[in-house]
């Protein structure tokens, strides 16, 4: 029997890839990370794509990759933090998977991303202000899309993954 995909959404630094990998391992599912998929496809990193092609082109690539990744069931998929912005992506995510929002505080994001050099949107004078602005804009969208909301603060990835699995509806696990 095949299961709907489990899709992790949330801001940069919320642990989507780390937690997604653990969930996939425990449920014997394939794990995919949309950013990694784009990097593998293009042979360059996300920062370079932003640099050369600009954010809109990156968003086009991201939408294409979501269609491809969600075309198959039984996966655990970590999305990029901005993938929920486009209406077409929102509809696709809703239709093709069970959506888990990793709800993370700004402080925790900062702790994880303080020294980040890979995320183009954070290469600014004040990454905290940028993260805050993005969260303000996107958190309502994450909440609206989510089938399950998990607070991630002060909890280790292993526990969070176990908690998510416990709370998945029976037809998803
Ligand atoms: C972005 C998040 C990143 C990556 C890109 C843009 C965003 O993914 O897609 O740097 O707009 O929030 P992560 O959420 O995996 O860091």
């Amino acid at each position: 029997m095949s299961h709907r995909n489990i899709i992790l959404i949330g801001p940069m630094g919320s642990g989507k890839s780390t937690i997604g990998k653990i969930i996939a391992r425990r449920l014997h599912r394939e794990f995919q990370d949309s950013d990694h998929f784009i990097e593998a496809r293009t042979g360059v990193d996300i920062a370079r794509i932003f640099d050369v092609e600009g954010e809109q082109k990156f968003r086009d690539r991201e939408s294409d990759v979501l269609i491809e990744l969600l075309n198959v069931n039984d996966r655990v998929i970590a999305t990029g933090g901005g993938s929920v912005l486009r209406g077409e992506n929102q509809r696709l995510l809703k239709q093709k998977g069970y959506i888990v929002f990793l709800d993370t505080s700004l402080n925790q994001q900062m702790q994880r991303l303080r020294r980040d050099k890979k995320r183009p949107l954070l290469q600014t004078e004040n990454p905290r202000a940028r993260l805050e602005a993005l969260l303000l804009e996107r958190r309502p969208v994450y909440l609206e899309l989510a089938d399950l909301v998990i607070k991630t603060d002060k909890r280790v990835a292993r526990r969070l993954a176990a908690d998510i699995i416990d709370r998945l509806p029976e037809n998803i696990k």
Side-chain angles (χ1 to χ4, degrees):
M1 198 181 79
S2 89
H3 304 82
R4 286 169 77 203
N5 295 304
I6 298 165
I7 303 171
L8 299 174
I9 63 170
M12 295 179 255
S14 56
K16 295 170 298 234
S17 305
T18 310
I19 293 166
K21 270 182 211 158
I22 302 173
I23 295 174
R25 199 165 57 231
R26 298 219 176 138
L27 295 180
H28 308 289
R29 305 272 168 85
E30 179 191 334
F31 174 73
Q32 289 285 352
D33 177 304
S34 76
D35 284 339
H36 290 166
F37 199 82
I38 293 170
E39 292 182 334
R41 249 308 137 75
T42 56
V44 294
D45 61 20
I46 303 290
R48 180 119 182 99
I49 298 176
F50 266 68
D51 209 32
V52 174
E53 299 184 330
E55 180 170 350
Q56 287 320 306
K57 186 75 195 143
F58 168 75
R59 298 293 171 203
D60 292 342
R61 291 186 182 280
E62 184 171 59
S63 297
D64 290 346
V65 158
L66 284 177
I67 293 173
E68 195 170 335
L69 288 179
L70 288 165
N71 205 17
V72 172
N73 283 330
D74 280 314
R75 285 178 165 159
V76 179
I77 296 170
T79 58
S83 58
V84 299
L85 291 175
R86 290 188 173 176
E88 63 194 83
N89 296 352
Q90 295 173 6
R91 286 187 286 279
L92 182 76
L93 295 171
K94 262 286 176 223
Q95 186 196 340
K96 295 286 189 162
Y98 182 86
I99 303 180
V100 182
F101 167 34
L102 302 182
D103 194 10
T104 305
S105 71
L106 196 57
N107 281 341
Q108 193 181 26
Q109 279 183 276
M110 273 310 284
Q111 259 178 32
R112 293 213 176 115
L113 299 170
R114 223 175 13 224
R115 280 185 266 280
D116 182 81
K117 293 274 174 279
K118 292 192 299 200
R119 290 173 174 84
L121 297 178
L122 299 186
Q123 308 315 307
T124 77
E125 283 276 290
N126 190 343
R128 190 184 176 92
R130 172 57 65 82
L131 283 171
E132 192 169 16
L134 290 174
L135 203 57
L136 204 68
E137 179 195 359
R138 295 172 179 177
R139 191 166 178 275
V141 186
Y142 295 136
L143 282 170
E144 168 76 31
L145 283 174
D147 294 303
L148 176 63
V149 179
I150 293 278
K151 290 252 181 224
T152 65
D153 286 21
K154 301 198 190 77
R155 302 177 65 202
V156 295
R158 234 179 30 255
R159 285 275 182 91
L160 279 167
D163 192 15
I164 291 169
I165 291 172
D166 277 350
R167 293 168 65 180
L168 290 173
E170 281 308 316
N171 60 350
I172 303 289
K173 51 184 163 187

